[in-house]
Structures are given as structure tokens and as C-alpha cells.
């Protein structure tokens, strides 16, 4: 896959703001410090297009990036949800905001017909959190295709790669270790594998 054009179409806070052109969409979910912005920048071949918020969870939007005028890459920034949704509770926000954004992303996942797949980003250095497991199980329950992307692989010794991978497989109860992509925005490890996953749904 060659990325020719990239455009941030909208940072939506409600369903009425979502793109209406029915292009296929791929959503990123994960903890606020898992490296989503670095992942996006690496995938789209830009250095600082997607910026990291200084305060985890501060940017409470669903960002739609149009790629090659063919599909959308969605960045959830929704790591502030309540118990009604398996979200990531890092942001220091009021419970009302947690509920509001929890419902937004839950409705998106359950009703967005052009959503093709979710990339679940997990920090390869650590055991998946309870929220990571909840998110994975949530997606599987609703039969939403999900690919686990382990970020920051370059920060783990190669001697420990299989060990860390086995931990993630066990915690998420994965049937196949091929369901995991090891990814690094520094070395570009896994970049082509991400492209391959996207292309499966484009044709």
C-alpha cells in the first residue's frame, strides 16, 4: 500500500458529524499512552500529523483521517469511559463526560455499518490490562473484526519477544499467535502487516 494523500476530515463529538460518504473505516482503540499518534504517523508516513495530547484523554473526540480518498482511519481518543463500556480510565473527567463519550463510541462500534475492523493497540512491554482484555472481549462479543497490534516492540529485547507475545496470547485467550502484529514506529516493524490487514477489506 502506498499512502498518497491524508486529510483529517473531522474531530467528531457526535454521530451527526461522522462522514457520510460511506467509505470503509478502520478504528484504533487503546490506552492513551500506548502510542496511537505514533502509530498513525508511521502508517501514513508523516512525522507529526497526528499529535499526542499533553494530558491523557484531554482530546475527547473521534478523529476521522481520510486516506488516499479510499478509506478512513479513525482514532478514538476515548480512554475515559465508565463501566457500561470497557474503556480506558486514565482521563480525569467528570462522570457525566465518561458516560457521554462511552455511549458515543459504543454506539459507533455497534451500529457503524462501514466499520471494517478495529486495531486494538497494546503496549508490548507490559501484560495486557484488565481494560485491554475487556475491550478485546467486547469486540469479539459483537463479532467486530479485531487485530491486536503490540506497540513499542523496539523497547523489548528480541530475546523476550516470544515470552511477551505468549503472555498477550494467554491473557486475551487468542487461538492463533498470527492474530498479533508486532509493531514499532521507530523501526517500522509490522508496518507492512498493518497495510496487509487493511487491504484485505478494501478489495
Amino acid at each position: 500500500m502506498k499512502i498518497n494523500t491524508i486529510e483529517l476530515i473531522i474531530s467528531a463529538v457526535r454521530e451527526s458529524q461522522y462522514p457520510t460518504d460511506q467509505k470503509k473505516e478502520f478504528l484504533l482503540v487503546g490506552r492513551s499512552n500506548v502510542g496511537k499518534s505514533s502509530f498513525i504517523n508511521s502508517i501514513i508516513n508523516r512525522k507529526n500529523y497526528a499529535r499526542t495530547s499533553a494530558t491523557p484523554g484531554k482530546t475527547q473526540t473521534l478523529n476521522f483521517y481520510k486516506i488516499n480518498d479510499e478509506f478512513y482511519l479513525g482514532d478514538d481518543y476515548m480512554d475515559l469511559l465508565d463501566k457500561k463500556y470497557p474503556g480506558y480510565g486514565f482521563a480525569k473527567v467528570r462522570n457525566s463526560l465518561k458516560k457521554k463519550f462511552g455511549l458515543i463510541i459504543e454506539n459507533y462500534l455497534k451500529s457503524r455499518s462501514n466499520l471494517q475492523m478495529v486495531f486494538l493497540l497494546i503496549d508490548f512491554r507490559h501484560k495486557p490490562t484488565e481494560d485491554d482484555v475487556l475491550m478485546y472481549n467486547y469486540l469479539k462479543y459483537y463479532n467486530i473484526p479485531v487485530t491486536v497490534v503490540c506497540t513499542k516492540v523496539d523497547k523489548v529485547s528480541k530475546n523476550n519477544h516470544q515470552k511477551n507475545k505468549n503472555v498477550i496470547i494467554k491473557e486475551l485467550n487468542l487461538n492463533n499467535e498470527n492474530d498479533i502484529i508486532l509493531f514499532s514506529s521507530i523501526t517500522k516493524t509490522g508496518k507492512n502487516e498493518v497495510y496487509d490487514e487493511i487491504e484485505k477489506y478494501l478489495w
Side-chain angles (χ1 to χ4, degrees):
M1 177 182 291
K2 183 178 180 181
I3 305 300
N4 297 311
T5 61
I6 170 73
E7 181 183 3
L8 175 59
I9 298 300
I10 192 168
S11 296
V13 296
R14 62 183 65 89
E15 185 175 357
S16 61
Q17 296 177 319
Y18 296 166
T20 59
D21 53 9
Q22 297 302 310
K23 294 184 186 299
K24 295 180 178 181
E25 296 173 0
F26 301 84
L27 182 68
L28 309 181
V29 295
R31 299 170 60 182
S32 56
N33 59 352
V34 77
K36 285 186 290 181
S37 295
S38 297
F39 175 85
I40 294 173
N41 289 328
S42 179
I43 293 302
I44 65 175
N45 299 319
R46 304 290 192 276
K47 288 186 177 181
N48 296 301
Y49 198 93
R51 297 182 181 275
T52 305
S53 174
T55 303
K58 182 179 180 181
T59 308
Q60 298 150 3
T61 59
L62 183 53
N63 300 330
F64 289 90
Y65 299 90
K66 184 185 285 188
I67 312 295
N68 289 347
D69 199 34
E70 289 183 302
F71 65 93
Y72 288 100
L73 192 61
D75 182 9
D76 72 327
Y77 278 106
M78 302 294 180
D79 54 344
L80 58 161
L81 313 178
D82 64 7
K83 293 182 179 179
K84 292 183 179 180
Y85 173 79
Y88 301 116
F90 292 99
K92 296 180 180 178
V93 295
R94 301 191 312 274
N95 288 334
S96 59
L97 279 180
K98 290 184 180 182
K99 182 176 181 180
K100 176 181 177 181
F101 286 103
L103 292 174
I104 287 174
I105 194 65
E106 183 172 24
N107 288 336
Y108 173 85
L109 288 171
K110 291 168 62 176
S111 64
R112 191 67 170 169
S113 60
N114 46 326
L115 173 64
Q116 303 299 301
M117 187 185 62
V118 173
F119 288 106
L120 172 58
L121 273 58
I122 294 177
D123 192 329
F124 193 54
R125 299 173 298 177
H126 309 297
K127 174 182 175 181
T129 66
E130 180 180 353
D131 287 332
D132 290 329
V133 176
L134 285 171
M135 172 63 81
Y136 181 79
N137 290 338
Y138 178 92
L139 295 169
K140 297 300 289 186
Y141 179 81
Y142 284 104
N143 295 315
I144 299 172
V146 54
T147 296
V148 177
V149 177
C150 300
T151 62
K152 306 182 181 181
V153 169
D154 57 286
K155 299 183 182 298
V156 176
S157 167
K158 289 187 177 181
N159 292 333
N160 291 324
H161 277 196
Q162 192 60 50
K163 182 186 72 173
N164 288 29
K165 189 175 182 179
N166 289 340
V167 169
I168 294 172
I169 291 171
K170 179 181 178 181
E171 292 299 314
L172 297 182
N173 194 27
L174 295 175
N175 294 322
N176 191 335
E177 68 174 62
N178 292 327
D179 293 337
I180 291 179
I181 294 176
L182 302 188
F183 185 87
S184 168
S185 60
I186 303 298
T187 66
K188 310 308 177 186
T189 298
K191 184 175 178 178
N192 287 333
E193 285 86 345
V194 172
Y195 287 160
D196 289 343
E197 287 301 311
I198 293 175
E199 287 182 327
K200 288 178 183 178
Y201 294 88
L202 293 181
W203 316 115

